[in-house]
Amino acid sequence: MIFRRCCIAGTLYGNESGDALKDIELLNAVADNSPHVIKFLTVMALCNTVIPIKSPSGTISYKAQSQDEDALVNAASNLHVVLVSKNGNNAEIHFNRRVIQYEILDILEFTSDRKRMSIVISDSQSGKIFLLSKGADEAILPLAYCGQQIKTFVDAVDKYAQLGLRTLCLGWRELSLEEYLEWSRLFKEANSALVDREWKVAEVCQKLEHTLDILGISAIEDRLQDGVPETIEILRQSGINFWMLTGDKQSTAIQIALLCNLISSEPKGQLLYINGKTEDEVARSLERVLLTMRITSSEPKELAFVVDGWALEIILTRYKEAFTELAVLSKTAICCRVTPSQKAQLVKLLKSCDYRTLAIGDGGNDVRMIQQAHIGVGISGREGLQAARAADYSIGKFRFLKRLILVHGRYSYNRTAFLSQYSFYKSLLICFIQILFSFVSGIAGTSLFNSVSLMAYNVFYTSIPVLTTVLDKDLSEKTVTQNPEILLYCQAGRLLNPSTFAGWFGRSLYHAIVVFLITIHAYANEKSEMEELSMVALSGSIWLQAFVVTLEMSSFTFLQFLAIWGNFAAFYVINLCISTIPTAGMYTIMFRLCRQPSYWITMLLISGVGMGPVLALKYFRYTYSPSAINILQKAERSRGPMYTLVNLESQLRSEQGNSTNSILTAPVKNKNSVYEPLLSDSPMASRRSLASSSFDIFQPAQSRVPAAYPRNIKTS
Amino acid sequence: HSCPMVLRIAELTSFGAGASASTHQPNSKFTQQELPACKPILTPKWVISVFLLVGVIFVPIGVASLLASNKVVEIVDRYDDACVPSNVTNKLAYIQNSTISKTCRRTLKVPKDMKQPIFVYYQLNNFYQNHRRYVKSRNDQQLRDASKANETTLCDPEKTRDGMAIVPCGLIAWSTFNDTYTFQHNTNNLSIDKTDISWKSDRDHKFGSDVFPKNFQKGPLIGGKTLNESIPLSEQEDLIVWMRTAALPTFRKLYGRIYVDLKENDTITVTLDNNYNTYSFDGKKSLVLSTSTWLGGKNDFLGLAYLTVGGLCFFLAFAFTLLYLIKPRKLGDNNYLSWNRNSAGH
């Protein structure tokens, strides 16, 4: 963050160059000891919780909890008001080779409710006591003493906010000793209160923070991190909706939203404002926005609504239902001037609309929201690690979110889907065999498998191959990032839903029948010894496991190969070992079986009958009704680099822009064979139109994932 | 790599927590999940050749199995009904009356030349040796170890007789099959070898050579065979065979072997003692004489199954090839992607 502009005593600095630190007028004012400017800079340097650290070489660096304070102190030091040291309660400031000592008496800490912080200092030389305050404009400007002209400040705040700058209002007041002592007693009392301390402290603070002399406005530029607009664009394509929850002013927030591609300017996009001071106003405003949203939702226009903290408070308590409807309708929203608890409330509200929510933020004020969301992502930045510590995932830059969601999130979904369903499959397989066996054991409940096999089945025989699914990649990372739309598959739950589960269920039933029937027919009559037959059935299941995992994996590293077939070999090693123990029930069994040609023939038959239909069905689907994943797999592996797809898409867009579609209708004639229900099913299917923006097309209504993210995607 | 890996970010984030070197992760190909991988896809060529290959492997195995099964000569003679005199109406009372002689004569005709060794089995149908309570009713320690003769846990309801432990205890031993067969081949006695019919491992390790039967079959209900108390369990081969419980309600157990070649149309006369009670549960008893091959006894299942599967594989390979020729699909055509298709349409 960089200090860019300021307004001191009605004079705006930094207008021309965009950098107040280089503004000659300001530099001259400092050199001339202009009292307003000096006061302003003193507040900048002192009213904070920054700790200066002096390195052995003499340079001073600052450690700050908030980046704003860091920017202010640095700016002050560039303007020759240098905070040199802070030892306990003593602060030392160097100004034009003069050393000024201050004693810090009290710190009135910043809270998101108060939206300001103050500090009480006494000048060590004169013994005068001052109150220095800084905070949001609406928290400071009303505290101005009677008769101060604050219009210039209000204008300056508006002007700076329009530029997307973060504004802070600085003020001060001299205190009489009696007033301070009286107040100090109350403050200590409040601080040592056991109940409602926060509220009591705020109450007492308010008693001191009044009739301030407003010194000026500082404006800090909060630069966007690299790659934010691109990240948002790509994640939008993958069907994710964005909400921006920020503590900034409305106009600042809108500027930043425009900068990072969150909203588009007219005529492509439209912003709907929900504001108002009273309940009625807010209600009417909300009603109007909702109506507009309903009407225009069929138009290809990017709608977004803006709401501020005050209106939001009213809405969340009184008009929750209408707002919920609005939340479902709109893909983008900007909530400004919201408190940490409101952020969390908003996330909760979105969660209640069946959205999957991801909250990303970097500041301590995002912690509650991060914890509330389904997925919390913290950006570990200069604002400290609070958010990163509270989050499920911690990343270093906002743009890594793309990779986190598209690559890691997607792989993780695929792998979890496979792992969970496969676990059901393998456990059901063994259960079904037992159930089938009960029909030939007089429904007596005899276990076909001995206890060792049953115990080892889940732990040793079938767990390791499937664990290597952590290395499985259905598509390369490059393909995924080039085709973010593929994430829609995950959002629609294409890989884990009742029908895929039914598939696995059916497969386990089929395999159980295959294993059981082949076993009892191949090992009939004189061969039907219990231990042998049970081991034949068990090895049949293990063979099928190995083939099923092999068939379901999309990529094989040597580790997977090793795990699947090493585990397969381990099954035989383990059982041969157990077969050498004379007291074991299955003593010599495995040796006997391995010597019988009929055993191996039976295994081969079980594998053939079990896997044949599975392979045939998979191939048939893969070739004649492929999913988007299959198509991309084929494209990726048959052509190598996927440049063609990118070209195709960009070509598509330019064609749309010219509203000619002659070239691109050609390949689409053959529509009958490929049925892709993902998009056709969705209610948005009817919305698709040629002139629509690219986002619209990829938006299945019910699978949207909104990401609530705060403004803290920027850093200096 | 255009995007930095998220795993690497873990290093960056560690700065606040003190610059501990312990959080440093080596960027191996494994931790970055960048191991070289082969990514097979189901191309028509590949799938069709797999099915062809399976067909090519399965059909010969099927033929070989079927030939082996056909080479086996098997004589199955069900005798439980035939060996009860026709004037007996209550079969159960008849079989339970120990005073009546139950000797029975059966004549078998050899359908084809039978090469030695000829295996003699008895076959029981509808006998649930795999029933949960039956299968548990034995004590392996007692069978193995003379010092554990009083160990009769799990042996209910054949645990003790007059307070003394039964050896061998349990339902399985109690119900040992006790029909006996003697064979005559064209008026000559046909000797039947009853040694080595059980598993050697059972004789050596599961049944003790110093464990002798005690208090066995002394109760009011006789379940089956009585054992000679002077012969150790490890030499009671009929018992050992019986105690290898069968997993299916229809099973055969080895009775003995005949080391004589039999000619086609020879007649064999079997004199049997029909002692074993299968009448109370509608069981069937059969005597089976069978030769053996590399695949075991007569069993057409494997051969037929292999031929069917092999045939189906050829059919699928053919069908897929045909489909591929009629309706070829270009590999990796992005126009099939829904978003491309939809945006281009309309």
Side-chain angles (χ1 to χ4, degrees), chain A residues 670-691:
Chain A
N670 181 13
K671 253 181 143 176
N672 50 347
S673 59
V674 202
Y675 177 62
E676 180 47 82
L678 181 65
L679 291 161
S680 329
D681 280 352
S682 71
M684 307 287 269
S686 55
R687 285 183 56 176
R688 266 179 253 120
S689 63
L690 196 71

Side-chain angles (χ1 to χ4, degrees), chain A residues 396-438:
Chain A
K397 289 260 163 64
F398 181 79
R399 68 188 153 96
F400 298 153
L401 187 65
K402 178 176 87 179
R403 192 179 157 78
L404 181 69
I405 292 177
L406 283 180
V407 175
H408 292 281
R410 192 177 159 279
Y411 282 153
S412 173
Y413 170 74
N414 290 355
R415 291 162 184 174
T416 312
F418 173 67
L419 182 69
S420 53
Q421 295 181 103
Y422 177 82
S423 301
F424 271 104
Y425 156 78
K426 69 172 171 136
S427 306
L428 281 176
L429 171 61
I430 213 90
C431 292
F432 280 133
I433 293 176
Q434 297 272 50
I435 291 170
L436 290 171
F437 179 68
S438 78

Side-chain angles (χ1 to χ4, degrees), chain A residues 380 396 400 403 415 440 444 446 473 521 527-530 556 584 587 592 601 604 619 622 634 639 645 698, chain B residues 4-5 9 13 33 37-38 41 44 130 132 199 201 205-206 244-247 295 299 306 331-332 339-340:
Chain A
S380 55
F400 298 153
R403 192 179 157 78
R415 291 162 184 174
V440 298
T446 320
K473 293 177 171 183
H521 281 103
K527 284 184 191 156
S528 66
E529 201 274 317
M530 186 87 174
F556 290 92
Y587 178 51
R592 276 169 204 282
I601 289 180
L604 211 57
Y619 166 73
Y622 199 82
K634 287 183 224 171
R639 278 194 220 140
L645 187 56
F698 311 122
Chain B
M5 311 287 285
I9 293 156
T13 59
Q33 304 194 4
C38 92
I41 50 169
N130 55 11
R132 186 169 52 89
W199 293 4
S201 60
H205 294 109
K206 298 265 177 193
R244 276 271 151 211
T245 49
L295 203 58
N299 190 346
Y306 262 88
L331 260 187
W339 47 89
N340 291 344

Side-chain angles (χ1 to χ4, degrees), chain B residues 241-255:
Chain B
V241 169
W242 181 257
M243 291 195 73
R244 276 271 151 211
T245 49
L248 304 172
T250 298
F251 59 88
R252 290 174 183 177
K253 287 191 183 292
L254 192 57
Y255 183 81

Side-chain angles (χ1 to χ4, degrees), chain A residues 144-219:
Chain A
Y145 66 86
C146 275
Q148 183 171 20
Q149 285 297 322
I150 57 167
K151 195 175 173 302
T152 47
F153 297 123
V154 174
D155 290 345
V157 166
D158 282 346
K159 185 173 148 74
Y160 292 149
Q162 293 289 344
L163 294 165
L165 298 172
R166 247 181 182 182
T167 54
L168 279 173
C169 217
L170 275 57
W172 89 335
R173 176 160 83 95
E174 194 179 334
L175 303 175
S176 67
L177 189 64
E178 300 81 51
E179 188 190 2
Y180 171 69
L181 288 176
E182 167 70 15
W183 175 84
S184 174
R185 192 177 51 77
L186 291 174
F187 188 60
K188 276 196 188 101
E189 250 170 49
N191 260 328
S192 53
L194 291 175
V195 284
D196 287 340
R197 185 188 301 158
E198 208 170 306
W199 185 80
K200 280 182 182 159
V201 169
E203 181 95 324
V204 174
C205 290
Q206 198 149 7
K207 283 192 179 150
L208 200 66
E209 291 163 333
H210 58 80
T211 53
L212 293 176
D213 178 10
I214 308 298
L215 296 170
I217 309 286
S218 72

Side-chain angles (χ1 to χ4, degrees), chain A residues 497-635:
Chain A
N497 55 41
S499 85
T500 60
F501 186 79
W504 280 100
F505 187 89
R507 186 184 289 192
S508 66
L509 184 61
Y510 171 68
H511 279 173
I513 291 171
V514 165
V515 169
F516 183 71
L517 286 185
I518 291 180
T519 304
I520 65 165
H521 281 103
Y523 275 70
N525 295 333
E526 75 278 3
K527 284 184 191 156
S528 66
E529 201 274 317
M530 186 87 174
E531 296 281 349
E532 277 192 11
L533 192 124
S534 112
M535 195 44 64
V536 171
L538 183 69
S539 6
S541 314
I542 301 296
W543 278 59
L544 285 180
Q545 304 291 319
F547 283 114
V548 165
V549 180
T550 308
L551 192 67
E552 294 299 327
M553 291 270 178
S554 324
S555 67
F556 290 92
T557 65
F558 75 97
L559 278 174
Q560 273 144 307
F561 190 79
L562 198 74
I564 295 170
W565 298 105
N567 188 78
F568 181 74
F571 167 75
Y572 280 95
V573 172
I574 292 172
N575 278 292
L576 286 173
C577 286
I578 299 175
S579 294
T580 59
I581 305 168
T583 49
M586 47 181 288
Y587 178 51
T588 70
I589 297 292
M590 206 62 193
F591 291 102
R592 276 169 204 282
L593 287 177
C594 288
R595 275 199 300 267
Q596 294 169 5
S598 59
Y599 170 74
W600 299 108
I601 289 180
T602 308
M603 288 303 109
L604 211 57
L605 182 64
I606 289 175
S607 313
V609 178
M611 295 315 293
V614 177
L615 177 66
L617 210 66
K618 188 170 167 134
Y619 166 73
F620 197 81
R621 278 223 200 110
Y622 199 82
T623 316
Y624 295 99
S625 68
S627 67
I629 295 176
N630 298 150
I631 295 168
L632 287 175
Q633 274 174 341
K634 287 183 224 171

Side-chain angles (χ1 to χ4, degrees), chain A residues 580-583 587-588, chain B residues 140 143-145 199-208 234:
Chain A
T580 59
I581 305 168
T583 49
Y587 178 51
T588 70
Chain B
D140 287 334
L143 297 174
R144 181 164 42 228
D145 196 340
W199 293 4
K200 189 169 180 303
S201 60
D202 282 354
R203 294 198 298 271
D204 293 349
H205 294 109
K206 298 265 177 193
F207 292 82
S234 63

